[in-house]
Amino acid sequence: MIALETTDRRDLAKHVGLTPQLLLRLLVIAAVFDWLVTRTFTRAAIFMPKPPLVILLYQILNVLGQFAFTLAGFVAILMLTWIAWTYLRTRHDPLMFIALMSLIALSIFFLFVAPAGVSAIVYQLLITVSLGLMIKDSTRHTWINVAAPALALFCATLYQLSQQLQLTDTSLLFNLGELFFAFAPMLIGWRYILPFRWWMILPALAFGIIYFINPAMTGVIAIWSTGLTLYLPSIVYALSLSFVAAILIRARGGDADSAAGAVLLMLAGGYAPQISTQLFLGIIALWLLTPSLATPSAHSLHSFQNQRQPA
Amino acid sequence: MNKKFFSLLTILSIAALLTFFNVPLASSQGLTIVASEFKGDLPANDPTAAAWQKTSVVEVPLSAQNVMKPQILNTKVKSVRVRSLYNDSQLAILVEWADETKNDEMVRVQDFRDAVAVQFPLNVNAPYFCMGQQGSNVTLWHWKADWQADITARKDVNTAYANMYSDQYPFAKGDAVNAIAPKDYTDPNYLPALASNNLFASAVRTTPVENLIAGGFGTLTSRAASAQVVQGFGAWKENKWQVIFTRTLTVKEADDISFANGKVYPVAFAAWDGANGERNGMKSTSQWVSLQLGGVAPSTAKEETNLPSSPEGIVWAGLPMLMLTGGVLTLVALIFLISKLPGKK
């Protein structure tokens, strides 16, 4: 298995000089920048005073944010194509390959023809199939990592499918998906929360303070930034942020690399993805959490790095 | 290493070029309202017509306006469902939303109307979604439930207070002791609002939709009476409002929006629940979504590129490119440095 994976990685590195690890890091950086700057910080501009210097700063950030957004979209397509290819080549899973490549092809098609009617329904069904196949890929030990984010994406997809089918009273699906999304960092990061450190509570505290001072503004920024409506008790979101902090800090120590990448991509993609790039980020996050022949172990990023690079 | 650097630079350069030329890489997951072409007259007065079922519906989420005071943070209308049809001369938009009460009277000061609005930007790049911004106006079509009711029978103070008594109207003829109708006035100049074509004083409603223009909070202005060209029809049934906006695809006014087949337009919605005291800025509003006429996408992003052509504009075009180039080089340097970090188990 490792030989096959190494062959794939070496092939890519040999031909284009890039490793999937590097693409993944580029994707995470671009996606997180787009999320934090374009979708969060710049949208908070409506609450800020606007002297000329602030306006200039926002204009610069807008340009950089647009670049990050385009880069994330481009690299996400490349990364997903590579993932699809590895499913075909290493796992001999043509179904997954076809599902992912069809998703990519349809998303590009929708740049020219807006999704509506049958095409939109087919797209949502393809997403459902891809998610189902990814869950099937998870092992007995890792399903708990995968289940929550996969179910969140699944509920959001079903909700959007229900809109296409013109069904009413499906807001429960949306709310259920948000519940899974909010709990996902806790299920992914429960093993990294101990030993508990005081700084892990800081993001939760910051969220709590902001929410207490101005719940309306916090709610608006949260929905613009992550797609979450904050309908659950705020303690859930605060705890979730603590677990995210724990995962990211542990990743610096090399212990939670895949989980950190997955959580960052999940947050950058947001809940109930509104554009194809956000959906791809969610799928790539799931792939990082799903050990298979495509990702040899849960510490895949570092295992890529530690193997010798071809000349 | 050289191959890796070159590949990385290629990816970043491609992304930079795509950004500069506004080439999108992400497609909508379904918040595009696709207006279907319809042969024949649009069902402008029938929200239950079968024709509406032949076009796709999009549910647009709304949230309370919470930037400018006064505001109501717990507004009632959480989403609207939108469909659209067009033929060779007109565009129709059907907006539906749940509302347990029908509030179509605004005679008493404590009563507020149900309403819904559709907003389009008048510039290529969509401005701030809530009423536009300075230098970037928006046009608004504001349907009002009380105006809809007025079309059937104009309501006035005597509608709400049937036993009211008026002393005397010196400039009116007739012996009526209740409110005098405008037609009873000997000289309409004694009804200055009506004489100046104030829409709110209009004795007869020709449309339940007011056509307005705005360029930021506090600038909302009604267009002239001659520019009130948006027709509407609204009906409340089984705790749901259904409102149809209809207008010609093109208009004569230079500062109003015209529509063309195959093009995509940003559009936003707002709704008011009168029973909740919602009025003016106290409303539920959406962000920009897209309205596309027809299923085929328009021409390339080049048409919509906002590149200035004047010499001083070259600076404005060059400045973002310089920033992008600087950003690309910075990013490349960062990634190079990160890749040099020692790996850890």
Side-chain angles (χ1 to χ4, degrees), chain A residues 14 16-17 22 25-26 46 67 70 74 107 111-113 115 123 163 166 216 220 224 273-277 302, chain B residues 3-4 7 16 18-19 24-29 31 57 59 66-67 83 128-129 287 295 297 324 335 338 344:
Chain A
K14 178 182 165 186
V16 300
L22 188 58
R25 288 194 171 187
L26 187 58
I46 61 170
F67 172 69
T70 308
F74 184 48
S107 74
L111 295 176
F112 303 96
V113 178
Y123 186 69
Q163 301 302 304
Q166 301 185 28
V220 170
W224 287 349
Q274 295 300 308
I275 52 176
S276 54
T277 301
H302 275 300
Chain B
K3 204 178 280 186
K4 183 166 90 171
S7 296
L18 291 171
T19 308
L25 282 181
S27 55
S28 164
Q29 295 287 97
L31 267 184
V57 63
E59 183 154 3
N66 64 349
V67 177
R83 303 168 199 258
Y128 178 52
F129 63 88
Q287 294 207 42
L324 271 171
I335 291 166
I338 288 169
K344 293 178 186 177

Side-chain angles (χ1 to χ4, degrees), chain A residues 18-243:
Chain A
L18 283 174
T19 60
Q21 164 217 11
L22 188 58
L23 270 184
L24 208 50
R25 288 194 171 187
L26 187 58
L27 177 64
V28 170
I29 292 169
V32 170
F33 189 93
D34 170 47
W35 165 47
L36 290 179
V37 175
T38 318
R39 292 214 313 273
T40 309
F41 190 60
T42 55
R43 286 185 174 181
I46 61 170
F47 298 109
M48 296 197 185
K50 296 173 181 61
L53 187 62
V54 172
I55 291 176
L56 178 64
L57 173 68
Y58 267 100
Q59 285 171 341
I60 294 170
L61 284 175
N62 265 330
V63 172
L64 290 175
Q66 284 167 27
F67 172 69
F69 171 71
T70 308
L71 181 63
F74 184 48
V75 177
I77 290 173
L78 292 177
M79 194 70 210
L80 204 62
T81 306
W82 180 81
I83 291 170
W85 173 248
T86 56
Y87 267 101
L88 181 68
R89 180 157 175 178
T90 61
R91 190 160 172 87
H92 305 293
D93 188 348
L95 201 57
M96 192 60 165
F97 171 77
I98 290 168
L100 291 179
M101 291 309 294
S102 303
L103 271 181
I104 294 169
L106 268 179
S107 74
I108 293 171
F109 174 71
F110 289 152
L111 295 176
F112 303 96
V113 178
V118 173
S119 61
I121 292 171
V122 167
Y123 186 69
Q124 304 297 341
L125 287 174
L126 272 173
I127 298 170
T128 313
V129 166
S130 305
L131 294 175
L133 290 172
M134 280 200 159
I135 293 174
K136 185 175 78 70
D137 254 359
S138 61
T139 67
R140 184 163 53 93
H141 300 290
T142 59
W143 71 267
I144 195 167
N145 282 1
V146 177
L151 286 171
L153 266 179
F154 192 67
C155 287
T157 306
L158 282 182
Y159 175 76
Q160 283 166 345
L161 184 61
S162 73
Q163 301 302 304
Q164 297 296 335
L165 296 173
Q166 301 185 28
L167 302 174
T168 54
D169 298 326
T170 54
S171 54
L172 179 67
L173 264 174
F174 188 92
N175 292 344
L176 193 61
E178 178 164 342
L179 182 81
F180 287 126
F181 191 89
F183 276 95
M186 297 185 210
L187 293 172
I188 295 169
W190 64 270
R191 70 188 73 182
Y192 306 117
I193 201 75
L194 296 174
F196 185 79
R197 295 284 181 263
W198 65 270
W199 37 256
M200 290 180 186
I201 204 73
L202 287 179
L205 207 57
F207 174 80
I209 290 170
I210 295 169
Y211 189 82
F212 178 73
I213 292 172
N214 195 332
M217 183 198 77
T218 309
V220 170
I221 297 289
I223 203 165
W224 287 349
S225 171
T226 59
L228 297 171
T229 61
L230 302 188
Y231 81 96
L232 293 166
S234 53
I235 186 73
V236 172
Y237 303 100
L239 276 176
S240 207
L241 281 172
S242 287
F243 278 85

